[in-house]
Amino acid sequence: MRLDPSVTTLAEFFGTVRAVVYDGLTSNAEAAYDRAWRRRILPTLGALPLADLRPLVIMNARASWDGSTSTKQEALSLLSKVLGFAVLDDLLTSNPVRAIHRTRGKADEADPSSRALDDLQVRRMLALTAGTPTGQRALAGLAFTGLRLGELVGLRWDDLDEHADLITVRRTLSPNGHGQLEERATKSGRIRRVPILEELRPFLDTARAAGHERIFTGVRGGPFDSGNLSRAVRWPVIRDQIATFPDGMPLRFHDLRHTYVSRLARLGVAPAMIQRVAGHASITTTERYTHTSDTAAAYAVRDAINGLNREVANRGGENAASVGRIRQNPRRAEGFIP
């Protein structure tokens, strides 16, 4: 029987197309959509007939949703997919979500570099976890490669080319919703390479001596997930000793990825190079780390102008245009090895 859009509610229609909407998704993506539906879409829009889902109605619902900008965007994406099938089945003439201006999501959220550790904090983290070598090794791997945890624990020895100083990131290990880790493609779906930094080499040497197939494992060779890594290093106990942040959120393993990417940005690595190494799908994500603050810009202008004025004065009032380039002090990166 053909559905009537003036009577059929969004919840009822979702029940008929859920399998198609979820077809081909990973278990993690399914879980994210389930949360978006249960916590945001269903309570605010689920009881409305399809014909009543006008853009302004959806915008008002979105304004009432909790969560971050990217979380709300995820819910809106799910709603757009569902209503896209309503258009496909001639229940709606157009998808009302398409008429809604989409926010930029993660690019509009807090500066990720504000969650990055400095050199001293990284050394402190490694010192605090020295009693748990496998856990310490995993934390060092995160801080010195910028990999996501699933990518790190998915590394095998044949992914390393120590002569070329490169690690090839081919896969990730992700929870499948049943308490197990599944091997999948990386988040971007692409294979990428990251450099082997000197700070990482001692940890690779101890991992090799353990003799396991994968590089970053627990004592018995099993892969770490966020739960067992947290228990291994007593993360809830030590994380506030490593760093605290103005936003009140405790230190997370993912902040070690922010630490690595922020370090590259601080050392002047080009955004396009950072994007490739970090595996960012969009350069917009990378640019969140490479922006220049108002304060830094002000100091840069001050130093440039003051330095130019000193050159002019020392040369007896020569025209500024004839002065050579402004001298700058080369940057130095401190090592992290404790």
Side-chain angles (χ1 to χ4, degrees):
M1 185 177 75
R2 183 169 177 76
L3 299 177
D4 182 349
S6 66
V7 176
T8 304
T9 66
L10 175 63
E12 291 168 340
F13 182 70
F14 181 67
T16 68
V17 299
R18 183 183 185 280
V20 183
V21 172
Y22 282 35
D23 184 41
L25 296 180
T26 66
S27 56
N28 280 356
E30 284 189 20
Y33 271 178
D34 279 342
R35 286 192 300 271
W37 173 258
R38 186 178 64 254
R39 295 181 56 178
R40 296 175 182 88
I41 301 173
L42 180 60
T44 56
L45 299 170
L48 295 179
L50 291 174
D52 288 352
L53 294 174
R54 299 180 300 277
L56 186 58
V57 172
I58 297 172
M59 291 172 68
N60 282 329
R62 181 180 65 175
S64 71
W65 293 343
D66 63 354
S68 66
T69 303
S70 58
T71 298
K72 294 180 182 182
Q73 189 60 46
E74 186 171 55
L76 202 63
S77 296
L78 170 59
L79 181 59
S80 183
K81 283 189 176 183
V82 173
L83 295 183
F85 285 110
V87 174
L88 185 65
D89 203 31
D90 291 329
L91 297 175
L92 295 176
T93 57
S94 63
N95 188 335
V97 177
R98 298 283 181 88
I100 298 174
H101 172 70
R102 297 203 174 196
T103 55
R104 295 178 63 195
K106 290 182 180 180
D108 290 333
E109 294 176 12
D111 175 9
S113 61
S114 68
R115 304 272 316 175
L117 302 183
D118 61 28
D119 300 4
L120 178 61
Q121 289 167 331
V122 172
R123 290 196 292 269
R124 185 184 304 142
M125 176 184 72
L126 296 178
L128 287 169
T129 55
T132 312
T134 56
Q136 182 197 48
R137 184 158 63 236
L139 296 179
L142 293 172
F144 299 144
T145 65
L147 300 187
R148 302 171 180 92
L149 179 58
E151 295 172 338
L152 185 83
V153 300
L155 291 176
R156 299 191 181 103
W157 287 106
D158 58 5
D159 296 322
L160 265 66
D161 184 343
E162 295 192 72
H163 295 293
D165 290 334
L166 291 174
I167 299 171
T168 301
V169 186
R170 296 184 170 93
R171 69 193 73 82
T172 185
L173 295 184
S174 302
N176 62 6
H178 303 288
Q180 298 175 325
L181 294 177
E182 286 183 351
E183 187 172 299
R184 300 177 185 148
T186 62
K187 184 177 179 181
S188 66
R190 303 191 189 111
I191 293 175
R192 71 182 192 278
R193 290 172 178 81
V194 300
I196 299 175
L197 303 183
E198 289 301 318
E199 294 97 335
L200 185 62
R201 289 193 183 279
F203 299 99
L204 294 177
D205 291 341
T206 58
R208 186 177 288 102
H212 299 305
E213 176 188 6
R214 297 189 189 273
I215 302 172
F216 296 94
T217 71
V219 175
R220 298 180 181 178
F224 278 122
D225 59 24
S226 58
N228 57 29
L229 178 57
S230 178
R231 289 189 293 274
V233 299
R234 299 170 63 244
W235 194 246
V237 176
I238 69 169
R239 60 188 174 189
D240 285 349
Q241 300 176 51
I242 300 168
T244 58
F245 302 100
D247 62 11
M249 292 289 292
L251 179 66
R252 306 161 303 186
F253 295 137
H254 195 70
D255 292 326
L256 301 181
R257 177 169 164 82
H258 295 325
T259 296
Y260 178 85
V261 179
S262 297
R263 183 188 186 191
L264 299 186
R266 188 174 68 248
L267 295 175
V269 178
M273 299 298 102
I274 297 177
Q275 180 188 9
R276 300 284 292 207
V277 170
H280 291 153
S282 169
I283 193 67
T284 302
T285 302
T286 308
E287 288 172 346
R288 296 168 64 212
Y289 296 88
T290 59
H291 73 278
T292 301
S293 70
D294 291 345
T295 301
Y299 283 140
V301 170
R302 179 202 65 184
D303 293 345
I305 298 301
N306 287 348
L308 185 61
N309 287 340
R310 282 193 294 271
E311 287 278 1
V312 172
N314 290 340
R315 295 184 178 216
E318 293 179 7
N319 188 295
S322 67
V323 180
R325 63 179 178 83
I326 301 168
R327 296 188 181 92
Q328 296 179 342
N329 292 326
R331 292 179 173 180
R332 271 185 84 237
E334 293 185 6
F336 279 127
I337 300 177

